[in-house]
Amino acid sequence: MTHAVPPTPRAVSAGRRRAFFGLFAADGWSWAIVKASAWFVLIIVLLAYIPDRAYYFTVQRTVDVGLMAWAPVNLCPPENETLPCPAPLGATLPWHPAPAAIHLPAGRVDGAAAIIGQTYLYAGGSDGESAVATTYVSHAVGTGNLDKWSAGPALPQARTDAAHVTLGTTLYLIGGYGPDGAPTSTVYSLTIGTDGTLGEWKVEDALALPEPRAGASAVAVSDGIVVMGGTDGTAATRSVWKSQAAVSGTLGAWVAQQPLFEENMDGVGVHVGDIIFIIGGRNASGEPVATVQQGLVGSGPNVTPEDPNLIESWRASEQTNLPIGRANMAGFTANGVIYIQGGADASGPRTETWWATPDAEGVIGAWHRLTQLDLGEGLEGGGGIVSGSHAFIVGGRTSDGVTGGAARANLAPQEPFFQVGLLGATLPALKLDGEVGQQIGYLNAAVVGTVLFVGLLLVGWGFAHKERVREIRGMLAKRRRKR
């Protein structure tokens, strides 16, 4: 009877080649996959990433090399002034007072500041004693500059602390205190022609508010205007009204919406995404509040195709609120960021500038502040205007009284021109403007891509003809020795 003899395990040959510090068999599948993956990445880098960087080296101010996740070394251009480098997300450049030549012709506070096309308007307001009917007009000059203000068409009647909103080429002035100091229900409109010419203010009788209001907030939605809060002459209210535009563009009668979370007047109203924000202001007791109220636009069971922007609920939370109570601030929104400046608390006008970036759900993670961005002096009742990458604050009241001054800030700090980190770097580039820069960029990318492609072909030929490469290397070595 015979017994099967188990096979003897094969010993690993001592002479079998190993690769990559002995981790892989040189002729095995694992090493082949690693090499193929490495070559694939190298080809992508040489034929796609580097030509792409060559293009942007021509047309951008800087070019990123590698994966720039974090950089301990950062250098910013002097145009960023005293900002940290890199500038925090959403930060502006510091505010600078405008030359006296472009101050308002007279001191004004609580007026309506707006821009339509290239035309700047400052309507109504108070001279510190009573409401006025003046309208001042200016125009854009160069990049981010204002021309001198001049007199425009007067309001039908003096108004101050009125809500205002721009729809297309028309500015609407809603409510406000009249000459007798009482809230009004009137709505005035001023339309600018396509050639920049101004018409006259019109009384919109069909748009008169259901009740008198002053110190209300107003925002434009995609199908009309929403007016919120304000005082009826006795205290701040929670009223919210909407005027919906017909297909023809004509605004309809005001329709009551869900009331505010709490009473409010002299707050800043902005519309970002699907959320209306009312920031700060005064409550029913007249005290400055830190509350940030959020109205959900077009989000509720009663929304219909006929009124897709119905406002059915308001909310507020401690996380979203301002760090401290403020009322009668200047404010605006740009690129999804909310900015507020100055305002007043119990001590008087304040200098602080705050900004925040709400997420898609309207949640504000934090309000940010840099002392470099505070106003030069306390200011309340100023009018905020955004024009491209610049913002202006016009008029207001300081501790010295009503002012016609203006301040300007650039909303777009420049990125660092040089950065070095563990995974990459940012280097200065040429930044050739216009189509010439683009064409030279394309040429750069084509030349770099062609040179690298030819280099890859030569490397491939070398791997396929190793003996010939050895011969060439030997011939070159002999020539060097003869020299």
Side-chain angles (χ1 to χ4, degrees):
M1 183 176 181
T2 59
H3 297 279
V5 179
T8 303
R10 296 178 58 189
V12 177
S13 173
R16 192 175 183 186
R17 291 190 307 116
R18 306 290 292 177
F20 202 73
F21 307 104
L23 295 178
F24 302 100
D27 55 354
W29 277 105
S30 298
W31 180 233
I33 292 173
V34 170
K35 289 192 295 183
S37 301
W39 276 107
F40 178 76
V41 172
L42 181 63
I43 290 172
I44 294 296
V45 170
L46 293 179
L47 299 187
Y49 180 76
I50 293 179
D52 175 79
R53 297 295 87 189
Y55 169 79
Y56 286 110
F57 178 79
T58 302
V59 300
Q60 292 188 163
R61 188 181 61 85
T62 62
V63 60
D64 293 333
V65 180
L67 178 62
M68 200 58 169
W70 175 75
V73 179
N74 299 276
L75 298 177
C76 285
E79 290 84 354
N80 280 14
E81 301 182 43
T82 57
L83 287 183
C85 184
L89 183 65
T92 70
L93 267 68
W95 290 90
H96 292 286
I102 58 174
H103 287 190
L104 294 174
R108 292 289 185 266
V109 61
D110 294 329
I115 180 172
I116 300 177
Q118 297 295 305
T119 302
Y120 294 81
L121 299 166
Y122 190 94
S126 169
D127 59 7
E129 299 292 335
S130 59
V132 297
T134 54
T135 298
Y136 296 130
V137 182
S138 181
H139 297 88
V141 177
T143 302
N145 291 311
L146 288 175
D147 201 353
K148 292 182 179 180
W149 294 88
S150 59
L155 294 168
Q157 194 178 51
R159 290 290 184 270
T160 184
D161 212 6
H164 67 281
V165 68
T166 300
L167 281 183
T169 58
T170 300
L171 171 63
Y172 292 89
L173 201 68
I174 305 164
Y177 295 106
D180 58 357
T184 65
S185 59
T186 55
V187 176
Y188 300 148
S189 68
L190 177 68
T191 299
I192 296 182
T194 56
D195 58 354
T197 57
L198 289 175
E200 296 292 329
W201 287 97
K202 294 170 50 181
V203 179
E204 301 284 354
D205 292 322
L207 279 180
L209 295 174
E211 299 175 6
R213 289 291 185 270
S217 303
V219 299
V221 293
S222 61
D223 62 347
I225 299 173
V226 180
V227 175
M228 302 148 291
T231 178
D232 58 6
T234 58
T237 68
R238 297 175 59 205
S239 61
V240 178
W241 298 313
K242 179 185 174 186
S243 174
Q244 188 174 12
V247 176
S248 63
T250 304
L251 290 169
W254 298 98
V255 176
Q257 310 285 293
Q258 182 69 25
L260 296 175
F261 180 80
E262 65 182 24
E263 292 83 356
N264 186 273
M265 64 175 290
D266 291 336
V268 173
V270 295
H271 184 198
V272 181
D274 294 328
I275 309 292
I276 294 174
F277 296 84
I278 297 184
I279 305 158
R282 301 184 187 276
N283 59 19
S285 301
E287 301 169 343
V289 297
T291 309
V292 176
Q293 303 188 53
Q294 300 180 356
L296 309 184
V297 180
S299 177
N302 295 321
V303 172
T304 64
E306 291 75 25
D307 190 2
N309 290 311
L310 185 70
I311 303 170
E312 288 197 283
S313 63
W314 289 84
R315 68 190 185 193
S317 70
E318 289 293 334
Q319 175 184 345
T320 300
N321 288 349
L322 291 172
I324 192 168
R326 288 286 186 273
N328 211 16
M329 301 167 288
F332 54 86
T333 179
N335 303 316
V337 183
I338 301 171
Y339 300 90
I340 57 172
Q341 300 83 29
D345 61 9
S347 65
R350 304 294 302 182
T351 64
E352 293 88 352
T353 290
W354 301 88
W355 79 91
T357 305
D359 64 17
E361 302 299 324
V363 176
I364 294 175
W367 286 91
H368 306 283
R369 178 194 170 208
L370 289 173
T371 56
Q372 299 96 314
L373 305 186
D374 288 347
L375 303 177
E377 59 181 336
L379 183 76
E380 65 170 313
I385 309 174
V386 178
S387 176
S389 62
H390 290 84
F392 299 88
I393 301 175
V394 183
R397 179 185 287 109
T398 70
S399 57
D400 296 327
V402 176
T403 178
R408 184 186 72 165
N410 190 314
L411 300 177
Q414 296 187 29
E415 296 293 328
F417 63 83
F418 179 79
Q419 292 179 286
V420 175
L422 297 177
L423 300 177
T426 297
L427 305 175
L430 297 178
K431 197 182 187 306
L432 301 179
D433 294 325
E435 189 172 345
V436 172
Q438 292 183 358
Q439 296 301 324
I440 295 177
Y442 293 138
L443 181 62
N444 282 350
V447 171
V448 171
T450 300
V451 170
L452 294 176
F453 179 71
V454 171
L456 278 176
L457 291 180
L458 293 174
V459 171
W461 181 87
F463 272 95
H465 301 82
K466 294 182 180 179
E467 294 298 329
R468 180 57 178 160
V469 171
R470 292 192 187 97
E471 293 177 5
I472 295 175
R473 291 175 59 186
M475 294 172 56
L476 293 175
K478 289 180 180 179
R479 289 183 181 180
R480 286 197 298 268
R481 285 194 296 269
K482 288 180 178 180
R483 291 177 183 176

